[in-house]
Amino acid sequence: MRRALLLILLLVSASVLAQAQRLPKLEPLPEPPPPPPMQESDEPRVNIPVQKGDKVEEARDSSGRIIAIKVTPPGGTPYYLIDVTGAGQWERRDSLNPDFRVPMWTIRTFD
């Protein structure tokens, strides 16, 4: 019985050892192709006329789209152009009031 068990153990270990020695041939990956050239976006170009001497600061979202513009005329108070809807409809605001809150009313509560 012991000899049979020893023989089975030797056969199993030999097959495992033979499989461990047959590693697949690994080859380096080819160089990736260069990225495609940048194309013009489908968004319409918006040109906002700026007076001579105005300082313009843009705020962009993570995709690079302009969402707000701060315009500071020389010797004047700054105003803001904000794209509220994201559709290119610019709205002028004289200040960005931090106390501005969206109206929220309770329509219905469930008990």
Side-chain angles (χ1 to χ4, degrees), residues 5-94:
L5 184 61
L6 183 61
L7 183 61
I8 293 173
L9 185 62
L10 282 174
L11 288 174
V12 170
S13 63
S15 66
V16 168
L17 194 64
Q19 289 177 359
Q21 292 176 356
R22 283 189 245 142
L23 294 176
K25 185 177 178 183
L26 300 177
E27 297 179 8
L29 292 174
E31 288 293 320
M38 296 292 291
Q39 296 179 356
E40 294 291 323
S41 66
D42 295 339
E43 296 180 9
R45 291 187 176 262
V46 177
N47 292 329
I48 301 171
V50 178
Q51 302 298 322
K52 190 175 187 179
D54 286 355
K55 180 180 174 185
V56 177
E57 301 171 53
E58 298 175 347
R60 297 178 180 265
D61 64 1
S62 60
S63 65
R65 190 174 50 109
I66 299 174
I67 56 172
I69 298 174
K70 178 181 178 182
V71 180
T72 308
T77 58
Y79 62 91
Y80 302 89
L81 299 172
I82 300 175
D83 187 7
V84 179
T85 61
Q89 301 295 325
W90 295 92
E91 182 178 300
R92 179 182 170 151
R93 293 191 181 165
D94 291 327

